[in-house]
């Protein structure tokens, strides 16, 4: 895509944004209808072509799943429109990697379920297409290629909006690799999860808890069974109790929370991060004593 084309498209889109035009079509791109939805001052969404693989939503939205496309923007658009035979996928949003400004395409309304999760599980949820929203982020491999800043900011603004709109809890903002252990590696270890959490999207452990757990682990290691239990408590689905499955689940966990080293080994840092997350997000809230009767009704 040439810079001059992008410039023309940007001008075209900004005119639409200013005038609030109705439906029109972008003749030469095939990428979108050209309609810009200004959700808020930080968030403009372009109505993209309809995603092919969608169905009626029968469950409320509880989870937000992030992906990388493993392809270019044109290829992702083709695939999501069902033009790539053998690939039946859909998604709600697609975010480009363009500079200086990433674009956000809406491929189907949140009210529909899209086929982006595949065989998946998280906590009490199974087959997450029905209970989730999906964002595809253009990147060939987020374990290798850093996400450019404009794209990060676009995904963050979109995720902030979706989390607030649908009341999605922090621990339910997940990577595809979190919900498909041993099967998926996206959006990859270079995705800036800590930055997202610092800006109100997704979970992150408290540093002081991690440090405290690391000190405890120096004198007493946890058994594999205890680590499996912690992973399951946090949300990961381990299909069996084998060492192989434990290693794969730890890889998924590290890809999200310790991206600098993804090796599936239960070292103290990894286990302490996991303990701190369970403490922060999965511990039962303290029981509140019944207030004394005041006589008021
Ligand atoms: Zn994915």
């Amino acid at each position: 895509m040439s810079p001059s084309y992008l410039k023309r498209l940007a001008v075209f889109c900004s005119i639409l944004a200013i005038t609030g035009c109705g439906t029109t079509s972008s003749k030469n791109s095939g990428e979108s209808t050209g309609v810009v939805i200004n959700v808020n001052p930080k968030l403009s969404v372009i109505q993209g072509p309809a995603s092919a693989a969608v169905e009626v939503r029968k469950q409320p939205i509880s989870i937000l799943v992030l992906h990388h496309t493993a392809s270019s923007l044109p290829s992702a658009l083709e695939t999501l429109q069902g033009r790539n035979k053998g690939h039946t996928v859909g998604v709600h949003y697609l975010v480009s990697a363009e500079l200086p400004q990433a674009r956000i395409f809406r491929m189907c309304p949140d009210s529909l379920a899209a086929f982006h999760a595949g065989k998946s599980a998280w906590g009490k949820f199974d087959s997450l297409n029905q209970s989730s929203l999906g964002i595809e982020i253009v990147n060939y491999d987020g374990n290798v290629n850093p996400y450019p800043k404009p794209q990060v900011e676009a995904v963050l603004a979109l995720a902030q909006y979706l989390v607030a709109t649908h009341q999605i809890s922090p621990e339910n903002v997940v990577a595809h690799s979190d919900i498909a252990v041993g099967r998926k590696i996206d959006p990859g270890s270079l995705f800036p999860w800590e930055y997202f959490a610092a800006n109100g999207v997704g979970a992150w452990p408290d540093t002081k808890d991690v440090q405290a757990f690391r000190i405890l682990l120096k004198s007493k290691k946890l058994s594999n069974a205890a680590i499996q239990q912690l992973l399951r408590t946090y949300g990961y689905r381990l299909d069996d109790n084998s060492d192989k499955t434990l290693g794969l689940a730890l890889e998924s966990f590290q890809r999200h929370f310790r991206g600098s080293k993804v090796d599936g080994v239960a070292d103290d840092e990894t286990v302490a991060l996991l303990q701190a997350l369970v403490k922060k997000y999965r511990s039962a809230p303290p029981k509140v004593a019944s207030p004394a009767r005041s006589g008021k009704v």
Side-chain angles (χ1 to χ4, degrees):
M1 203 176 286
S2 72
S4 63
Y5 168 77
L6 283 177
K7 207 170 174 183
R8 285 204 307 278
L9 185 68
V11 170
F12 174 60
C13 291
S14 62
I15 290 168
L16 280 175
I18 291 163
T19 57
C21 286
T23 304
T24 181
S25 58
S26 175
K27 285 177 187 165
N28 53 0
S29 71
E31 290 178 352
S32 77
T33 61
V35 176
V36 176
I37 307 148
N38 280 319
V39 179
N40 63 44
K42 278 170 60 186
L43 182 59
S44 283
V45 176
I46 299 167
Q47 182 58 58
S51 186
V54 297
E55 66 179 6
V56 173
R57 189 184 287 285
K58 298 166 195 152
Q59 291 177 29
I61 295 165
S62 304
I63 297 167
L64 176 61
V65 183
L66 303 192
H67 306 259
H68 67 220
T69 55
S71 70
S72 65
L73 174 63
S75 175
L77 284 161
E78 290 286 307
T79 301
L80 289 168
Q81 289 175 83
R83 294 176 183 164
N84 186 350
K85 294 230 180 316
H87 247 77
T88 310
V89 291
V91 82
H92 299 88
Y93 300 92
L94 173 66
V95 182
S96 80
E98 294 158 310
L99 301 172
Q101 182 68 51
R103 288 181 292 167
I104 302 169
F105 297 90
R106 186 173 73 176
M107 307 297 293
C108 80
D110 298 359
S111 56
L112 292 174
F115 291 19
H116 64 97
K119 185 175 184 294
S120 52
W122 185 247
K124 64 181 181 178
F125 298 95
D126 281 285
S127 300
L128 266 56
N129 288 340
Q130 275 293 332
S131 54
S132 69
L133 292 170
I135 303 175
E136 285 279 2
I137 310 165
V138 174
N139 189 321
Y140 280 98
D141 184 349
N143 298 282
V144 177
N145 308 308
Y147 288 87
K149 185 76 174 161
Q151 187 184 43
V152 167
E153 294 305 324
V155 177
L156 177 61
L158 174 62
Q160 285 171 330
Y161 168 74
L162 295 174
V163 163
T165 302
H166 301 290
Q167 299 287 293
I168 298 171
S169 56
E171 66 277 18
N172 282 348
V173 179
V174 293
H176 199 185
S177 49
D178 289 322
I179 63 170
V181 168
R183 196 172 73 79
K184 291 290 177 182
I185 59 167
D186 62 315
S189 55
L190 296 178
F191 189 81
W193 289 106
E194 186 174 6
Y195 176 67
F196 267 54
N199 285 280
V201 175
W204 201 257
D206 290 339
T207 304
K208 64 174 173 31
D209 288 338
V210 178
Q211 287 169 344
F213 281 119
R214 283 193 80 161
I215 289 166
L216 291 174
L217 286 166
K218 273 185 188 164
S219 54
K220 190 173 189 302
K221 306 290 180 209
L222 296 192
S223 65
N224 278 3
I227 296 167
Q228 286 161 343
Q229 185 57 45
L230 283 166
L231 284 163
R232 288 184 170 121
T233 301
Y234 191 63
Y236 290 89
R237 184 67 57 88
L238 284 68
D239 288 334
D240 58 54
N241 291 328
S242 69
D243 289 350
K244 184 181 174 208
T245 299
L246 173 58
L248 291 171
L250 286 167
E251 276 187 32
S252 287
F253 177 79
Q254 290 166 336
R255 227 177 274 287
H256 190 145
F257 295 104
R258 212 273 303 270
S260 59
K261 191 174 182 188
V262 179
D263 60 4
V265 174
D267 55 63
D268 285 358
E269 183 182 31
T270 301
V271 175
L273 286 163
L274 178 57
Q275 289 176 296
L277 281 161
V278 169
K279 179 189 170 196
K280 185 171 177 180
Y281 296 104
R282 298 297 195 190
S283 298
K287 283 194 176 149
V288 180
S290 303
R293 284 179 180 276
S294 65
K296 289 180 185 168
V297 180

